[in-house]
């Protein structure tokens, strides 16, 4: 069984956005199995605002500051009540060690029956061993993998890339103080939004071209898009996927194609 997946990227690349998008998609489906989320970068209220933003279409900023029209209240209230009913357990906005994460996950597993745990992100887990950052990260990664395996609880962990990846196509070797992260993960997904950094170096992603050719995707075509590259998969193959990124709601949406001015949409490609 697969117990540990990594979602990897630099700051503002969409790691938390991918987790929240996945939560909304799952909780609004027929499955709706319980999920646990531990997030060190945001509070429970900020995560809830992101979920509501994706549900209603109003920006996270407007929801946090109540800067929306009165006519929006029924939709926001209905979405808020819906989110409250979700089998989603959150512990966000405070530092935790792996042992504390384990205790919280065990509590959720026993009382709420969580079937998946998300941790955002690995390098913010409070270390208890290790002389330097690399040793600490290795210990944390190994402990999280062991926890997931022992509890038979699938785990998705976000991880930070180093600054070398801020203006380049992200690679596994860019993992910040990588330690054993790559080795421990059953799958690793690298996220990239070139328009999050300006100016951005050309990434060199490719896409099918005309007449069965392959062409490079210019950064100008990546505006409002996110690249998600499966760089490791123990039970599958590597792959590259593109999706739309909605900056207002911080949501990752189905890919709508490339700008028609420079490239035909997927449905128009011969």
């Amino acid at each position: 069984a697969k117990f540990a997946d990594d979602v990897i990227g630099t700051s503002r690349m969409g790691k938390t956005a991918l987790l929240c998008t996945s939560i909304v998609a799952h909780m609004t489906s027929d499955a709706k199995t319980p999920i646990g989320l531990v997030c060190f970068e945001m509070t429970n209220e900020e995560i809830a605002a992101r979920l509501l933003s994706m549900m209603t279409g109003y920006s996270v900023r407007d929801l946090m500051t109540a800067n929306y029209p009165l006519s929006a209240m029924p939709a926001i209230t209905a979405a808020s009540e819906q989110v409250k009913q979700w089998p989603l357990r959150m512990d966000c906005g405070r530092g935790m060690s792996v042992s504390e994460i384990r205790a919280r996950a065990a509590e959720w597993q026993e009382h709420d029956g969580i079937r998946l745990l998300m941790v955002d992100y690995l390098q913010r887990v409070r270390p208890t061993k290790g002389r330097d950052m690399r040793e600490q990260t290795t210990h944390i990664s190994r402990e999280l993998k062991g926890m997931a395996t022992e509890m038979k609880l699938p785990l998705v962990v976000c991880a930070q890339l180093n600054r070398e990846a801020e203006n380049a196509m992200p690679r596994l070797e860019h993992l910040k103080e990588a330690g054993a992260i790559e080795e421990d993960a059953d799958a690793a997904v690298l996220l990239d939004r070139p328009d999050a950094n300006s100016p951005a170096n050309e990434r060199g992603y490719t896409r099918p071209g005309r007449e069965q050719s392959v062409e490079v995707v210019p950064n100008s075509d990546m505006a409002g898009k996110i690249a998600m590259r499966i760089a490791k998969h123990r039970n599958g193959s590597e792959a590259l996927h593109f999706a739309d990124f909605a900056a207002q709601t911080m949501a990752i949406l189905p890919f709508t194609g490339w700008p028609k001015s420079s490239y035909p949409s997927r449905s128009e490609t011969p």
Side-chain angles (χ1 to χ4, degrees):
K2 181 173 66 174
F3 290 114
D5 289 350
D6 282 347
V7 175
I8 304 165
T10 58
S11 298
R12 300 169 56 234
M13 284 299 119
K15 298 186 297 296
T16 308
L18 181 57
L19 297 189
C20 289
T21 298
S22 300
I23 289 171
V24 171
H26 178 74
M27 292 299 176
T28 54
S29 71
D30 292 334
K32 202 182 295 186
T33 50
I35 292 176
L37 172 65
V38 173
C39 179
F40 305 112
E41 291 286 273
M42 299 181 185
T43 63
N44 285 10
E45 292 74 19
E46 289 170 324
I47 292 292
R50 283 210 177 197
L51 301 177
L52 281 177
S53 178
M54 294 177 184
M55 295 281 287
T56 63
Y58 290 97
S59 73
V60 175
R61 181 187 297 272
D62 286 348
L63 289 172
M64 292 291 290
T65 59
N67 183 29
Y68 45 78
L70 187 61
S71 59
M73 277 302 299
I76 294 173
T77 300
S80 179
E81 290 301 316
Q82 186 176 351
V83 170
K84 288 178 183 178
Q85 298 303 314
W86 287 351
L88 173 64
R89 299 297 173 260
M90 299 190 296
D91 193 336
C92 306
R94 68 186 184 95
M96 299 173 73
S97 64
V98 175
S99 61
E100 291 172 310
I101 294 173
R102 180 193 289 264
R104 178 63 77 203
E107 176 187 339
W108 288 337
Q109 194 176 48
E110 179 180 357
H111 297 291
D112 305 293
I114 64 168
R115 303 288 296 276
L116 172 71
L117 178 66
M118 298 175 168
V119 176
D120 184 16
Y121 59 92
L122 186 144
Q123 287 94 338
R124 290 295 301 274
V125 176
R126 184 188 300 131
T128 56
K129 291 183 180 180
R131 294 170 297 179
D132 54 32
M133 183 69 76
R134 185 178 182 83
E135 287 189 4
Q136 292 169 358
T137 302
T138 295
H139 182 71
I140 290 168
S141 178
R142 291 278 159 81
E143 280 197 314
L144 286 173
K145 179 65 178 287
M147 175 196 76
T149 303
E150 291 169 18
M151 298 179 69
K152 293 182 171 58
L153 181 64
L155 174 67
V156 176
V157 181
C158 291
Q160 186 86 353
L161 296 177
N162 61 34
R163 292 190 177 276
E164 293 178 7
E166 288 186 352
N167 215 355
M169 182 190 294
R171 303 182 185 282
L172 287 176
E173 52 263 34
H174 289 142
L175 272 170
K176 186 176 183 181
E177 302 296 345
I181 297 175
E182 179 185 351
E183 180 182 342
D184 292 338
D186 292 313
V189 181
L190 297 172
L191 305 182
D192 185 27
R193 291 196 302 122
D195 62 346
N197 294 312
S198 182
N201 292 333
E202 292 293 334
R203 298 302 204 256
Y205 295 114
T206 59
R207 62 191 174 193
R210 297 172 179 83
E211 299 178 357
Q212 298 182 345
S213 64
V214 175
E215 61 184 40
V216 174
V217 181
N219 276 4
S220 57
D221 282 7
M222 286 294 294
K225 308 293 182 185
I226 182 171
M228 299 179 288
R229 185 162 65 90
I230 302 174
K232 177 183 178 181
H233 198 318
R234 290 195 196 278
N235 302 308
S237 57
E238 298 180 8
L240 174 63
H241 301 281
F242 296 99
D244 289 5
F245 187 87
Q248 176 169 301
T249 59
M250 306 298 285
I252 296 175
L253 305 173
F255 185 61
T256 56
W258 302 110
K260 292 184 178 181
S261 59
S262 62
Y263 185 78
S265 67
R266 188 174 298 274
S267 62
E268 296 173 329
T269 303

